[in-house]
Amino acid sequence: MAQKGLARDSVVRVALELLDEVGLDGLTVRRLAARLGVQNPALYWHFRNKQELLDEMAGELLGPTMGGPSDGETWRDWLARRAHRYRRMLLSHRDGARLVAVSDPGPAVAQAFEKELAILTGFGFTPAEGLHAIGSLSHYTLGFVLNEQGRRERHARGAGHDLAEYAAEFPLTVAGVRESGAPTSDEAFAHGLRLILDGIAGTRHP
């Protein structure tokens, strides 16, 4: 039974807004209740604990990143587009990657994933190949964004360093960054994504 006047989806939306303001460590049930103008017990009509709230928030974010290919799109182009969309979603919220990493997004996301696997089997993948293909791309993207957002937090605290500081001690590293961008750049993400997709293509069951 839901608390009258307090919709579950509204709680999740406000929780995501609060996440952008205070980060995952600052997001508490008490702070969320204060933002909603209710007492803490009102939220427990919807969520038994904070973890259940985080799970719902993660599911809200992940749902729109999933789906099938466009008309005429190859499996490779579809999975590449899916990975880029997943990265954009994670970056769209402060600590988005951490939120997803610590959450179980629930049955709706699991059902969407099952449909994606069905599509991959239609492209000739075995269920195991499809599972590992999407899993590898998702884990790569999540880890990449965890690093991205961690670097942003460090820079926001003034803990970043100028590239020129390292030029004398690490000339090859600095040359590589200057040539192709930082390890967390869009170019770096796309390069790693191509490597994984090449690996998927090269190891598929004949």
Side-chain angles (χ1 to χ4, degrees):
M1 179 178 179
Q3 178 73 12
K4 185 177 180 180
L6 192 61
R8 186 181 177 96
D9 58 347
S10 296
V11 175
V12 172
R13 175 178 52 79
V14 174
L16 288 169
E17 293 173 356
L18 189 58
L19 176 70
D20 288 335
E21 295 177 20
V22 302
L24 190 60
D25 293 333
L27 179 63
T28 64
V29 173
R30 176 176 294 182
R31 183 171 274 171
L32 177 58
R35 173 62 60 88
L36 290 164
V38 299
Q39 298 297 314
N40 286 17
L43 295 182
Y44 293 116
W45 287 90
H46 298 279
F47 305 101
R48 291 172 293 180
N49 49 52
K50 180 181 176 180
Q51 186 58 57
E52 192 170 288
L53 170 64
L54 296 180
D55 292 345
E56 189 79 9
M57 292 166 65
E60 180 73 14
L61 294 182
L62 286 171
T65 71
M66 306 179 76
S70 302
D71 290 342
E73 195 171 30
T74 66
W75 68 263
R76 181 176 179 129
D77 290 341
W78 165 43
L79 291 183
R81 180 170 56 81
R82 183 187 187 279
H84 282 291
R85 185 171 58 208
Y86 184 33
R87 178 176 176 237
R88 287 194 300 271
M89 178 277 295
L90 294 172
L91 288 171
S92 70
H93 288 278
R94 181 178 175 183
D95 288 335
R98 285 182 60 202
L99 169 64
V100 171
V102 302
S103 302
D104 178 355
V109 171
Q111 290 168 2
F113 182 71
E114 180 73 11
K115 292 178 181 178
E116 291 182 327
L117 284 183
I119 293 170
L120 279 180
T121 61
F123 277 114
F125 284 70
T126 67
E129 288 172 341
L131 178 69
H132 292 311
I134 294 179
S136 296
L137 291 167
S138 297
H139 292 152
Y140 164 68
T141 304
L142 182 63
F144 194 96
V145 177
L146 279 169
N147 194 14
E148 278 188 283
Q149 294 186 318
R151 287 170 63 91
R152 289 183 181 183
E153 288 291 330
R154 291 194 297 275
H155 279 281
R157 296 194 303 268
H161 297 279
D162 187 85
L163 189 64
E165 297 178 34
Y166 297 103
E169 189 173 3
F170 307 106
L172 295 179
T173 301
V174 172
V177 171
R178 286 174 173 165
E179 178 182 345
S180 62
T184 53
S185 66
D186 293 343
E187 293 79 9
F189 178 77
H191 180 75
L193 184 58
R194 286 194 298 272
L195 293 178
I196 296 174
L197 289 169
D198 286 346
I200 293 171
T203 58
R204 287 186 60 195
H205 185 75

